[in-house]
């Protein structure tokens, strides 16, 4: 193992591979910033380039693009509320409100520091424990993944403010329903397509994310502007939203988010280790964990510009990216669409990922892991100096910014499918989203249910098949039962704490 690590340092720190890390991080960050493009697109564009170089350099380049795209994906989420990558959806919950309060610089800086810490801590775990953690990945079965996804769905408790719990559940169910549209992969039966050929492949995440967040936000700003004109009042919030603000993070703020970063790094890495889990689930779980651990006063800030609410998902999604290399390299199991593309690239090199990879091709195995240290430093140096220039997007005239958001949203969705039907469907969803927003329904639970819905159904079906249609899989395995108990406690915790609070207040009222 020690010889392998030394070989990894020697390979990763060659001048050629250092340049590949820098190039990969820069390209990934730039593509991640563009709504509609994500790490899969970025890596797919890199594959032709990697054919002419050796496997170690090729994988180092693609790894840099991967975590660079996740790192950069937070920018569009924070500045224009357009999370084009599923792993940065939770970042927008508190990042965008901070930008609207004139603290875009601080939000981007905190996202950069959190991403750096999450990626670096996860890289240390990966270096020390990768071979051992492959056994943990193998111990997880479909019932355990089903329970883990149920645990992820309990994050609705984190997205619901006081008196909004029922609305959050309704929006989560709507998201789960939208995830069932399309052709059933197991039986080939059409579901809720209403005879439309364009719905056979289902509804894309990008379409939902852009219509429910970016497009509806742009249209809401037009509505708000027209109201302001009618009343001849200028919104202080709109004025503040054009300010970049300071990049400085105070000592008190560092002290506030430090425990969050530590917890989210560990959580994100271990969720990333599980095949099929990935950065999206990790970011939602980290956000939910932090809100549930927060005091009653701090909970009120979540969704309105909480620093902890921003640091948690940003740390977790980058830690999960590093963790996802464990099942890819040690088991040959892609944990996400992005790592599936990387798996294909590895096999094109004639390398078979699996338990023997770090014995048969140690230079590939260890150099990719070691390059993550260098990649995180490169990302920090790329992003921090560029923050003032990136955040200048907020100083653009409101009309121009609205037009740009509409342009990127529509073009981003169209370039994925080249189907005009998606544009019309996106417009319809954005109108529905505006109506729901006006009725005080949150979009976050909907997107959570939509993202996790497909994986939840697949693992439920596999579990039922494994147990001959019996639901005994829910309590048969100790891991599954433990995760479900934790999920139930998280879901009931807000109500239990409210019940306890009322019980304490009653004696005071009597006195």
């Amino acid at each position: 193992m020690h010889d392998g690590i030394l070989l990894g340092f020697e390979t990763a720190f060659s001048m050629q591979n250092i340049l590949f890390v820098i190039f990969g991080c820069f390209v990934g960050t730039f593509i991640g910033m563009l709504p509609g493009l994500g790490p899969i697109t970025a890596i797919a564009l890199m594959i032709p380039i990697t054919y002419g170089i050796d496997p170690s350099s090729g994988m180092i380049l693609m790894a840099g693009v991967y975590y660079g795209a996740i790192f950069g994906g937070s920018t569009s989420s924070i500045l224009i509320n357009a999370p084009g990558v599923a792993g940065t959806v939770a970042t927008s919950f508190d990042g965008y409100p901070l930008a609207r309060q004139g603290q875009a610089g601080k939000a981007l800086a905190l996202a950069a520091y959190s991403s750096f810490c999450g990626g670096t801590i996860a890289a240390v775990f990966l270096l020390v424990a990768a071979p051992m953690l492959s056994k943990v990945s193998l111990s997880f079965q479909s019932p355990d993944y089903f329970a883990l996804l149920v645990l992820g769905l309990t994050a609705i408790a984190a997205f619901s403010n006081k008196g909004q719990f029922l609305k959050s559940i309704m929006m989560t169910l709507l998201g789960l329903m939208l995830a069932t549209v399309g052709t059933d992969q197991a039986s080939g039966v059409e579901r809720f397509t209403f005879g439309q050929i364009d719905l056979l492949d289902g509804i894309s995440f990008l379409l939902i994310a852009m219509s429910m967040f970016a497009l509806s936000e742009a249209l809401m700003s037009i509505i708000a502007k027209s109201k302001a004109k009618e009343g001849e009042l200028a919104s202080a919030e709109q004025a503040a939203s054009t300010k970049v603000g300071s990049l400085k993070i105070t000592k008190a703020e560092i002290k506030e988010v430090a425990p969050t970063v530590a917890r989210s790094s560990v959580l994100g890495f271990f969720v990333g280790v599980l095949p099929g889990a990935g950065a999206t689930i990790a970011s939602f779980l980290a956000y939910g964990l932090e809100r549930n651990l927060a005091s009653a006063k701090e909970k009120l800030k979540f969704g309105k510009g909480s620093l902890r609410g921003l640091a948690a998902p940003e740390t977790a999604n980058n830690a999960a990216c590093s963790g996802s290399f464990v099942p890819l390299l040690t088991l040959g199991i892609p944990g996400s669409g992005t790592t599936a593309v990387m798996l294909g690239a590895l096999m094109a090199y004639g390398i078979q990922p699996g338990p023997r990879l770090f014995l048969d091709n140690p230079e590939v195995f260890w150099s990719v892991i070691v390059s993550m240290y260098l990649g995180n430093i490169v990302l920090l140096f790329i992003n921090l100096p560029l923050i003032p220039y990136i955040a200048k997007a907020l100083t653009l005239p409101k009309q121009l910014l609205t037009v740009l958001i509409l342009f990127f949203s529509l073009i981003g969705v169209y370039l994925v499918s080249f189907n005009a039907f998606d544009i019309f469907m996106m417009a319809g969803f954005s109108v529905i989203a505006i109506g729901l927003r006006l009725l005080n329904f949150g979009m976050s639970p909907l997107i959570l249910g939509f993202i996790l819905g497909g994986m939840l159904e697949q693992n439920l079906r596999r579990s039922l098949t494994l147990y001959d249609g019996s639901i005994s899989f829910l309590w048969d395995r100790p891991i599954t039962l433990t995760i479900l108990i934790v999920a139930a406690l998280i879901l009931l915790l807000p109500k239990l704490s409210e019940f306890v609070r009322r019980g304490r207040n009653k004696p005071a009222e009597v006195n």
Side-chain angles (χ1 to χ4, degrees):
M1 180 174 171
H2 293 93
D3 293 339
I5 293 172
L6 290 174
L7 178 62
F9 272 99
E10 183 181 342
T11 306
F13 280 84
S14 67
M15 183 54 64
Q16 175 186 330
N17 288 336
I18 289 174
L19 292 174
F20 277 128
V21 169
I22 295 171
F23 177 70
C25 289
F26 182 80
V27 170
T29 302
F30 179 74
I31 292 177
M33 288 178 185
L34 301 176
L37 301 178
I40 297 180
T41 307
I43 288 175
L45 291 171
M46 292 297 107
I47 287 178
I49 299 174
T50 62
Y51 284 153
I53 57 181
D54 64 89
S56 299
S57 300
M59 291 305 296
I60 285 172
L61 173 61
M62 285 190 282
V65 170
Y66 181 22
Y67 44 76
I70 297 294
F71 200 105
S74 61
T75 304
S76 58
S77 294
I78 291 169
L79 293 184
I80 59 174
N81 200 26
V85 183
T88 61
V89 169
T91 302
S92 65
F93 299 158
D94 285 284
Y96 184 64
L98 280 169
R100 288 184 66 84
Q101 293 164 20
Q103 300 185 68
K106 177 174 288 189
L108 290 168
L110 181 60
Y113 289 128
S114 300
S115 299
F116 171 76
C117 293
T120 303
I121 292 171
V124 173
F125 286 153
L126 189 61
L127 187 68
V128 174
M132 180 181 65
L133 287 170
S134 64
K135 297 177 182 177
V136 176
S137 297
L138 283 173
S139 68
F140 263 67
Q141 295 182 10
S142 295
D144 307 322
Y145 284 116
F146 172 77
L148 189 68
L149 290 164
V150 171
L151 178 62
L153 283 174
T154 58
I156 58 169
F159 302 140
S160 56
N161 294 320
K162 192 172 182 180
Q164 296 288 310
F165 188 70
L166 185 58
K167 286 185 176 180
S168 295
I169 290 178
M170 291 169 66
M171 293 299 284
T172 305
L173 291 174
L174 179 58
L176 290 171
M177 290 164 66
L178 290 173
T180 63
V181 174
T183 305
D184 182 9
Q185 298 299 316
S187 62
V189 175
E190 294 180 25
R191 301 186 302 187
F192 309 110
T193 59
F194 306 103
Q196 282 285 344
I197 297 175
D198 300 292
L199 289 174
L200 289 177
D201 292 330
I203 305 170
S204 73
F205 155 75
L206 188 62
L207 189 152
I208 292 290
M210 288 292 137
S211 57
M212 294 293 177
F213 285 88
L215 197 57
S216 65
E217 187 67 40
L219 295 174
M220 285 290 285
S221 69
I222 295 171
I223 294 170
K225 186 181 177 185
S226 65
K227 286 182 178 178
K229 275 187 177 180
E230 288 170 9
E232 296 182 350
L233 292 170
S235 169
E237 186 179 303
Q238 287 179 341
S241 69
T242 61
K243 297 177 182 177
V244 174
S246 172
L247 274 67
K248 187 178 179 182
I249 300 173
T250 64
K251 288 183 179 179
E253 290 168 340
I254 293 172
K255 190 176 179 181
E256 178 187 351
V257 300
T260 296
V261 168
R263 284 190 293 266
S264 300
S265 297
V266 177
L267 175 65
F269 177 72
F270 282 104
V271 170
V273 165
L274 305 174
T280 306
I281 296 177
S283 62
F284 280 119
L285 285 176
Y287 187 87
L289 174 66
E290 286 308 312
R291 191 182 185 281
N292 285 320
L293 290 177
S295 63
K297 184 180 178 181
E298 183 66 27
K299 276 183 183 177
L300 298 174
K301 297 180 183 178
F302 277 73
K304 298 176 183 177
S306 168
L307 296 181
R308 288 174 62 180
L310 172 60
E314 268 303 289
T315 305
N317 61 27
N318 279 270
C321 287
S322 299
S324 67
F325 280 87
V326 173
L328 174 67
L329 297 176
T330 62
L331 302 175
I333 300 172
S336 62
T338 310
T339 49
V341 175
M342 296 179 74
L343 175 64
L346 266 176
M347 297 181 77
Y349 279 122
I351 295 173
Q352 181 60 52
R356 289 193 58 81
L357 178 63
F358 70 99
L359 297 175
D360 298 337
N361 301 95
E363 72 284 354
V364 175
F365 183 88
W366 293 111
S367 64
V368 170
I369 294 174
V370 171
S371 72
M372 291 181 186
Y373 293 99
L374 180 61
N376 279 290
I377 295 171
V378 169
L379 284 170
L380 197 63
F381 278 96
I382 287 175
N383 281 271
L384 282 178
L386 292 177
I387 283 174
Y389 304 101
I390 294 167
K392 288 288 183 184
L394 291 179
T395 63
L396 293 172
K398 200 72 176 178
Q399 298 91 331
L400 178 60
L401 188 59
T402 301
V403 170
L404 287 175
I405 293 171
L406 292 172
F407 173 78
F408 278 118
S409 301
L410 295 170
I411 293 299
V413 169
Y414 183 74
L415 288 177
V416 170
S417 63
F418 294 98
N419 189 348
F421 178 81
D422 285 355
I423 301 297
F424 292 114
M425 187 160 58
M426 185 178 177
F429 275 127
S430 63
V431 172
I432 294 170
I434 290 171
L436 290 170
R437 281 172 181 263
L438 292 173
L439 292 171
N440 204 22
F441 281 86
M443 297 296 106
S444 308
L446 183 145
I447 201 75
L448 174 66
F450 181 80
I451 291 171
L452 301 187
M455 293 184 285
L456 187 77
E457 182 187 0
Q458 289 173 14
N459 285 284
L460 174 61
R461 178 172 284 155
R462 288 173 191 157
S463 302
L464 290 170
T465 303
L466 191 65
Y467 282 79
D468 297 322
S470 171
I471 62 167
S472 60
F473 72 87
L474 294 173
W475 56 81
D476 191 55
R477 289 174 56 79
I479 298 176
T480 307
L481 183 60
T482 302
I483 295 173
L484 288 174
I485 290 172
V486 171
L489 289 174
I490 290 174
L491 197 61
L492 295 172
L493 192 62
K495 294 297 177 186
L496 289 173
S497 59
E498 187 179 337
F499 181 76
V500 171
R501 198 180 301 116
R502 284 179 181 176
R504 287 177 178 174
N505 291 337
K506 277 184 180 180
E509 289 172 6
V510 171
N511 292 335

